[in-house]
Amino acid sequence: MDKIKFNIKREERNIEISFCNIEEIQKIIYARGYEGVCIITDETVYELYKGTMDDICEKISGSLIILEPGEKSKCMNTLGEIYSELNLRGIKRDDLIIAFGGGVIGDLTGFAASTYLRGIDLIQVPTTVLSQVDSSVGGKTAINLGNNKNRVGAFYQPQNVIIDIDVLNTLQKREFNNGCAEIIKYGCILDEILFDKIYDIGNLHDTRVIYKCKLEQIIRRCIELKIDVVQKDEKDIGIRNILNFGHTIGHVIEGIDDYEKFKHGEAVAIGMYLITKWSESKGYTVIGTAEKIKNILLKNNLPINIQGIDSEYAYRAIIKDKKASASGVKLILLKEIGECFIKHVPLEEISKMTEEIFV
Ligand SMILES: NC(=O)c1ccc[n+]([C@@H]2O[C@H](COP(=O)([O-])OP(=O)(O)OC[C@H]3O[C@@H](n4cnc5c(N)ncnc54)[C@H](O)[C@@H]3O)[C@@H](O)[C@H]2O)c1
Ligand SMILES: [Zn+2]
């Protein structure tokens, strides 16, 4: 089993990322000596991987909580149900919770684990591209309050994250591509070689079987890049902000039609292209960078533009974002592919920016 170990300043232990087959979770649970285990998953993921989950439950006195798939489950009601179930099933302080699913399951289960009995051990088994390269690493957990995304949450690090790229083969193409937007983001902000590698492959989804090794290297590289940033700034008060490249505009787009129209990664894809086109026009970014981003996104069937967004609506949404302050917004811009910087932009300029972007 191939592992990356890292630590966070306030944690007195290593957090392990294991690249292995999901069947190997059992070995990890045995090695850590847990007596009780509760797996939290969603209906779709359970149907696909019930063999693995049932086997754990049988051999290690485990139980299952199976939730409805989708963002709507990331809410107070479901969280309350999880607490009740954990309590009813007698889950103790030294037992283990496993988050087995995409980012929704990871964020919700992570938050439940961080608060139930004031914190109980957690293993993340991310099963989407997005959750493998992004949400399962870094310790952010959260639930939504209505349409306010991630309003309640905690920083809570898992003991272990288990990455098995074979589980990505059952993902629907749109979900796969959605996660690729975050992969492309890492190339844009931190690693030109990674960007070029993805560019040369073309469509990551269609080549995932023949280029399995390359896909695994790409996912591993994204995780390494994220760990490096998180170790410098776990609580997201400085450098971790760069992971928000494309997200200021992305969040505006994601919010339309009550989050029904675009998935997170799709909205971020549009955000990365539009903000880079704008920053090129201001002279902050090397000319030609936006074109490269446009091409790599299109190769991965991701959207690059949207019609009909009102600039005033976009401005209001940006200043309401939890990252904005009264003096302005920290925009993440590229100097060129592989190199980014944080620019504090006053609100007047943000207002002009939205007029220029959403004409
Ligand atoms: N904590 C963080 O740092 C962080 C970072 C980015 C995003 N997020 C959060 O992640 C969430 C989105 O995560 P997501 O994109 O993984 O969505 P998701 O968890 O809703 O999963 C998408 C869909 O894919 C299905 N699925 C999952 N794994 C599958 C598999 N292997 N095969 C087939 N189907 C599968 C799920 O049932 C679901 O229907 C959002 O709530 C977002 O806020 C958190
Ligand atoms: Zn994101």
Side-chain angles (χ1 to χ4, degrees):
M1 189 186 301
D2 185 15
K3 283 183 192 165
I4 305 178
K5 289 186 183 179
F6 70 104
N7 51 38
I8 295 282
K9 264 185 224 147
R10 68 182 169 83
E11 298 270 336
E12 286 158 9
R13 63 180 171 93
N14 278 322
I15 297 149
E16 286 186 5
I17 316 255
S18 311
F19 294 84
C20 61
N21 186 287
I22 38 168
E23 303 300 333
E24 295 191 53
I25 308 174
Q26 286 197 24
K27 280 191 206 154
I28 295 169
I29 300 172
Y30 276 129
R32 292 185 180 271
Y34 294 108
E35 287 177 2
V37 177
C38 182
I39 302 172
I40 304 184
T41 188
D42 72 30
E43 286 156 5
T44 309
V45 179
Y46 179 66
E47 275 311 310
L48 290 162
Y49 300 102
K50 62 159 73 136
T52 306
M53 292 188 231
D54 289 348
D55 209 35
I56 296 173
C57 292
E58 214 171 280
K59 295 198 177 126
I60 314 175
S61 86
S63 65
L64 276 163
I65 299 177
I66 303 169
L67 305 171
E68 263 178 53
E71 188 74 27
K72 292 220 158 49
S73 286
K74 217 175 106 175
C75 67
M76 287 287 274
N77 280 349
T78 319
L79 180 69
E81 286 164 17
I82 292 174
Y83 290 144
S84 303
E85 285 298 323
L86 294 173
N87 195 29
L88 271 172
R89 295 169 195 207
I91 298 296
K92 303 186 301 300
R93 178 70 192 80
D94 53 1
D95 290 338
L96 170 72
I97 295 184
I98 300 178
F100 201 127
V104 165
I105 289 295
D107 277 13
L108 172 66
T109 304
F111 186 60
S114 76
T115 42
Y116 182 72
L117 299 176
R118 297 202 182 89
I120 159 167
D121 283 2
L122 170 71
I123 290 184
Q124 292 269 9
V125 186
T127 60
T128 59
V129 175
L130 184 136
S131 56
Q132 292 196 349
V133 298
D134 195 358
S135 60
S136 65
V137 177
K140 280 190 184 176
T141 72
I143 56 159
N144 306 327
L145 284 185
N147 264 349
N148 295 296
K149 289 259 295 174
N150 303 327
R151 272 301 131 141
V152 180
F155 288 94
Y156 194 67
Q157 298 293 343
Q159 319 304 116
N160 206 312
V161 182
I162 295 173
I163 307 281
D164 177 353
I165 67 157
D166 284 339
V167 301
L168 305 179
N169 289 332
T170 53
L171 265 184
Q172 288 191 352
K173 187 168 179 176
R174 187 174 172 196
E175 288 297 349
F176 191 102
N177 294 338
N178 180 51
C180 291
E182 299 283 1
I183 290 184
I184 292 165
K185 178 192 78 180
Y186 289 109
C188 288
I189 57 175
L190 290 165
D191 190 343
E192 190 187 6
I193 295 172
L194 173 68
F195 185 95
D196 289 344
K197 198 172 192 171
I198 305 163
Y199 202 98
D200 290 344
I201 291 176
N203 186 293
L204 292 178
H205 176 270
D206 295 351
T207 56
R208 70 196 188 287
V209 177
I210 47 164
Y211 288 150
K212 187 180 160 187
C213 270
K214 285 188 184 171
L215 179 64
E216 189 151 1
Q217 284 163 5
I218 287 170
I219 288 181
R220 194 188 169 108
R221 180 70 186 140
C222 294
I223 293 171
E224 284 167 354
L225 290 167
K226 178 145 187 192
I227 290 172
D228 190 45
V229 171
V230 169
Q231 278 184 312
K232 290 179 182 137
D233 172 28
E234 186 200 6
K235 296 285 173 70
D236 200 7
I237 46 176
I239 184 83
R240 191 167 175 170
N241 270 300
I242 64 170
L243 300 176
N244 262 345
F245 172 58
H247 284 59
T248 302
I249 300 294
H251 287 155
V252 173
I253 294 164
E254 199 180 357
I256 58 174
D257 284 350
D258 273 350
Y259 293 87
E260 297 286 340
K261 194 171 165 74
F262 290 104
K263 293 183 181 296
H264 177 75
E266 293 168 345
V268 168
I270 300 173
M272 292 192 289
Y273 173 61
L274 291 182
I275 198 75
T276 305
K277 212 163 73 147
W278 175 81
S279 74
E280 262 184 31
S281 76
K282 296 286 156 206
Y284 302 138
T285 303
V286 172
I287 302 288
T289 308
E291 190 65 18
K292 286 186 190 162
I293 294 176
K294 175 177 155 184
N295 291 337
I296 201 169
L297 294 173
L298 290 177
K299 279 173 188 242
N300 285 282
N301 306 114
L302 284 158
I304 49 150
N305 222 329
I306 178 170
Q307 303 299 320
I309 289 208
D310 175 51
S311 61
E312 181 61 24
Y313 162 82
Y315 174 69
R316 299 258 150 251
I318 289 173
I319 59 172
K320 239 181 73 189
D321 197 281
K322 60 182 181 304
K323 299 264 184 220
S325 74
S327 64
V329 175
K330 281 183 198 156
L331 288 182
I332 315 306
L333 306 177
L334 302 186
K335 271 191 192 143
E336 56 188 325
I337 296 294
E339 199 177 345
C340 64
F341 63 102
I342 302 177
K343 183 168 176 59
H344 186 272
V345 180
L347 292 185
E348 309 86 79
E349 204 182 324
I350 292 289
S351 171
K352 277 195 218 128
M353 177 190 85
T354 55
E355 282 166 19
E356 287 160 8
I357 289 181
F358 298 107
V359 278

